[in-house]
Amino acid sequence: MENKDTHNFINNLVEDESFISWVKSDFTEDDDIWSQYIDKHMDQMDQINEAIGLVRAIDFKDDNTIDTKKLWQRIESNIQIETPIKATIVSSLNRWRLVGLAVAASVALFLLFRPGFDAEKIVNTGIGQEITETLPDGSDILINADSKITYDTKKWDAERNVTLEGVAFFKVQKGSKFTVQTSQGRVEVLGTSFSVNQRDDIFEVICKTGKVAVTHSASSTTVVLNPGDMSVIENGKLVLKSAENGVTHKITWIEGVYTFQDASVSDVIDELERQFAVEVEVPQGIDSTMYTGFFNKGDLNKALYAITWPLGLTYKVIDNKVILSKE
Amino acid sequence: MSDEILWSKLKQGDAKALREIYDLHICDLENYCKKFTKDIELIEDVLHDMFVNIWQKRDTIGHTDSIMSYLCVSIRRDLIKRINKSALIISLENTEKLDTNFSISAEDILIQEENSKIDKIKLEKAFEHLSHRQREAIYLKYYNEMSYEEICTVMDINYQSVRNLISKGILLLREKMIMVNVLVFIQILQLMYF
């Protein structure tokens, strides 16, 4: 009979998430870790093998009898798939902006296809818009409203380099160094997910998974972020706000939630204008009032209520215009 | 495409995202459902309703960075509700306690060729000694390769309970089974050194 230690040794391996994915991926994922582990535990090879055998043995057959095409047709016939929401975005922009977009698009096309020119790709979002861009290596960028990313499709394999103006969430595939360049500094990672906010003199980075290195150009300082950590610029210096005491910094905007802590009303209104493509008229003298709270993207009236109620204001919506006034 | 971005596209009304989610997960969802019931018509209905539902409620549904576990939570709840309902009608006279079954039969077990020394029947018998919840947790962990946190969400129990279900389940399986590892051992050596 095995003794208790052996028992625990095997069970610990079988329950280890990294060990499971190593075995299930036919010894490719996390292979460096487990090769080293085996070298160090050669005397326990029998137990390691039992653990491997067990993880491999717990596998089940695919048992698929449903006609998935037919089921999809049934689903499709019961939902009204509307025309893409792009149409509503366009209608909310004014005519001149449309002309501007068309001009910008043709300039971009011209630049893109001009022979001999770098294969530079630019993705620009308008106000109220959000776009997902998939990079050549499968990494994804969710680009927030009124933001711009640039990268070189030809040089991509040699260096993963993206320039950002504005706000974006990055989900980076594992691989070589991935760099996000902004006017305030750069963010370097290997494979992880994080959000960068660089508008005006803001330079805010929140790490969701993995490790992220943030470098501030002006002070030439670097901090390393772990999951839940955030870096900001305070008084011209790069400051790390770590995820201690159970307080983790979350990237809420990708869920459509915009949160503010002691933010000036003008910052909040700027964000509202950007996300809903509206113009907001603010009564005099409240610009520097502080606001703590949040609004949800999706319903303008609810968002306006969330902002105006704590400030003791009322609002009126007329087409693309919002007028705030004191009660 | 990552789960959080795919989901956020769905929430923004992108029908292609719904199709992509369907294509990615429909087979695994069917497999999962079949462990609760063999009633294919019921499974199709539940799957149909769920996809129609998430599309219609896309504005208000929560956010997730694990789509598969989100779908499992929803399908599990609905499936168990409907199984219990039909069981109730059939066995009105019966005082038998209504419970959810999570069954794994010999046909469900996949024996890889190099593992053929592990007796299929033995493994099935070993699974019989596990509780339904242990079976389900082990299925989600080793077949769907979910994280412990994802299993917490799907089974609606806390982290420690999931760890216990799996830990005790694995111990039981090992006790009930005699593993033949020589073949696997040789294979590992080959992978590592040749």
Side-chain angles (χ1 to χ4, degrees):
Chain A
M1 232 25 247
E2 297 170 310
N3 65 37
K4 216 173 172 211
D5 286 346
T6 324
H7 226 101
N8 284 339
F9 181 82
I10 295 172
N11 247 53
N12 286 342
L13 281 180
V14 173
E15 290 168 42
D16 189 286
E17 303 205 298
S18 158
F19 183 81
I20 297 169
S21 57
W22 175 61
V23 177
K24 292 280 184 197
S25 68
D26 283 326
F27 315 107
T28 52
E29 247 167 73
D30 290 343
D31 189 43
D32 37 347
I33 301 169
W34 293 101
S35 300
Q36 269 180 35
Y37 182 88
I38 287 176
D39 287 342
K40 269 189 212 151
H41 297 83
M42 267 310 199
D43 50 327
Q44 280 160 305
M45 208 54 214
D46 285 353
Q47 287 94 303
I48 295 173
N49 275 310
E50 192 181 334
I52 292 171
L54 194 56
V55 171
R56 285 176 81 89
I58 309 176
D59 202 351
F60 306 98
K61 267 190 221 155
D62 295 330
D63 173 20
N64 294 123
T65 46
I66 290 181
D67 183 342
T68 56
K69 259 195 194 150
K70 235 170 130 185
L71 181 58
W72 173 256
Q73 281 165 2
R74 199 178 136 201
I75 293 167
E76 214 174 19
S77 67
N78 280 308
I79 56 178
Q80 292 91 40
I81 293 189
E82 295 119 40
T83 41
I85 51 153
K86 286 219 174 76
T88 60
I89 291 168
V90 170
S91 68
S92 69
L93 302 172
N94 65 41
R95 210 171 275 223
W96 287 111
R97 194 170 278 277
L98 253 180
V99 174
L101 277 176
V103 171
S106 23
V107 170
L109 278 174
F110 172 72
L111 289 177
L112 200 61
F113 292 109
R114 205 168 65 171
F117 195 80
D118 280 347
E120 193 172 73
K121 187 165 179 195
I122 301 169
V123 184
N124 219 331
T125 53
I127 49 174
Q129 210 182 3
E130 217 171 81
I131 288 180
T132 310
E133 173 74 3
T134 302
L135 299 169
D137 63 341
S139 297
D140 285 320
I141 310 178
L142 184 61
I143 311 162
N144 194 275
D146 191 19
S147 301
K148 179 177 154 188
I149 62 149
T150 313
Y151 66 95
D152 194 316
T153 51
K154 265 191 194 158
K155 287 189 195 146
W156 187 259
D157 290 339
E159 52 170 14
R160 303 199 289 173
N161 213 329
V162 178
T163 310
L164 168 73
E165 291 166 39
V167 175
F169 171 76
F170 295 82
K171 176 93 186 189
V172 178
Q173 294 289 338
K174 278 186 185 169
S176 62
K177 191 168 79 183
F178 186 105
T179 310
V180 181
Q181 198 73 48
T182 76
S183 64
Q184 291 285 318
R186 64 175 187 275
V187 185
E188 290 164 318
V189 299
L190 289 172
T192 167
S193 57
F194 60 96
S195 166
V196 181
N197 174 356
Q198 192 282 299
R199 294 199 201 271
D200 305 325
D201 48 2
I202 300 170
F203 181 42
E204 188 185 283
V205 181
I206 301 176
C207 171
K208 189 170 178 206
T209 56
K211 262 189 171 42
V212 176
V214 182
T215 305
H216 182 221
S217 312
S219 63
S220 57
T221 42
T222 300
V223 294
V224 174
L225 308 185
N226 286 307
D229 289 353
M230 173 167 91
S231 74
V232 292
I233 305 294
E234 274 178 10
N235 306 321
K237 279 191 183 126
L238 185 64
V239 181
L240 169 71
K241 308 232 163 178
S242 52
E244 274 164 46
N245 307 324
V247 184
T248 56
H249 299 280
K250 292 203 173 78
I251 306 162
T252 56
W253 70 263
I254 56 171
E255 297 164 21
V257 181
Y258 289 80
T259 53
F260 303 90
Q261 185 131 33
D262 297 327
S264 70
V265 166
S266 64
D267 284 348
V268 180
I269 296 302
D270 280 353
E271 195 64 68
L272 190 84
E273 288 181 327
R274 211 157 25 223
Q275 300 305 332
F276 286 97
V278 289
E279 246 176 78
V280 182
E281 220 181 271
V282 185
Q284 276 192 335
I286 68 152
D287 263 12
S288 56
T289 313
M290 290 307 199
Y291 172 82
T292 296
F294 70 95
F295 70 77
N296 267 298
K297 196 175 171 172
D299 188 330
L300 178 62
N301 277 301
K302 277 187 198 158
L304 281 168
Y305 183 77
I307 294 169
T308 51
W309 183 77
L311 295 168
L313 300 172
T314 55
Y315 65 90
K316 224 189 284 172
V317 185
I318 305 161
D319 297 328
N320 280 353
K321 240 186 153 149
V322 176
I323 299 159
L324 304 188
S325 50
K326 287 180 184 163
E327 273 171 327
Chain B
M1 186 171 300
S2 79
D3 273 16
E4 51 261 81
I5 290 174
L6 191 56
W7 198 251
S8 119
K9 277 187 154 183
L10 170 86
K11 282 176 70 66
Q12 287 174 41
D14 183 344
K16 272 194 225 138
L18 183 74
R19 180 63 203 259
E20 200 173 328
I21 292 168
Y22 178 86
D23 287 341
L24 275 172
H25 299 295
I26 190 70
C27 290
D28 280 341
L29 288 170
E30 184 191 344
N31 281 329
Y32 179 59
C33 289
K34 277 186 175 152
K35 304 297 174 289
F36 291 101
T37 175
K38 296 288 170 210
D39 184 346
I40 281 291
E41 247 174 74
L42 175 68
I43 294 176
E44 280 196 24
D45 284 350
V46 170
L47 286 168
H48 165 269
D49 291 356
M50 179 181 72
F51 278 100
V52 170
N53 210 25
I54 61 171
W55 177 256
Q56 280 167 349
K57 296 202 174 138
R58 61 186 185 274
D59 288 340
T60 47
I61 53 177
H63 203 81
T64 180
D65 47 20
S66 165
I67 292 175
M68 182 60 184
S69 55
Y70 188 99
L71 300 180
C72 282
V73 172
S74 150
I75 208 87
R76 186 182 192 272
R77 200 187 302 128
D78 201 18
L79 199 56
I80 290 175
K81 210 161 70 191
R82 294 205 208 178
I83 290 169
N84 283 349
K85 220 186 211 167
S86 57
L88 197 65
I89 295 163
I90 296 162
S91 61
L92 260 181
E93 313 278 298
N94 208 328
T95 48
E96 216 178 306
K97 196 182 152 239
L98 293 173
D99 198 11
T100 55
N101 288 313
F102 197 86
S103 326
I104 287 164
S105 63
E107 294 92 69
D108 289 327
I109 296 165
L110 177 77
I111 301 294
Q112 282 152 1
E113 269 177 48
E114 76 272 15
N115 261 359
S116 55
K117 284 278 165 78
I118 294 173
D119 198 330
K120 206 168 153 174
I121 305 297
K122 223 181 251 171
L123 195 57
E124 190 211 350
K125 285 265 176 279
F127 268 113
E128 269 175 23
H129 293 273
L130 270 56
S131 71
H132 292 297
R133 292 162 79 78
Q134 283 171 337
R135 259 178 243 157
E136 186 180 357
I138 285 177
Y139 178 86
L140 293 172
K141 181 86 213 137
Y142 297 92
Y143 181 69
N144 288 114
E145 291 182 50
M146 282 190 183
S147 69
Y148 289 112
E149 282 84 1
E150 286 170 318
I151 301 173
C152 292
T153 320
V154 173
M155 297 184 67
D156 195 22
I157 48 180
N158 67 37
Y159 185 85
Q160 198 49 49
S161 308
V162 173
R163 294 301 304 242
N164 290 346
L165 283 177
I166 289 178
S167 186
K168 291 201 177 121
I170 293 290
L171 269 181
L172 261 171
L173 277 184
R174 289 180 52 218
E175 270 168 30
K176 304 292 173 195
M177 229 173 14
I178 303 157
M179 306 288 299
V180 180
N181 291 305
V182 181
L183 287 173
V184 181
F185 181 48
I186 292 167
Q187 203 205 4
I188 299 296
L189 286 181
Q190 280 171 342
L191 273 169
M192 282 172 59
Y193 297 110
F194 298 105

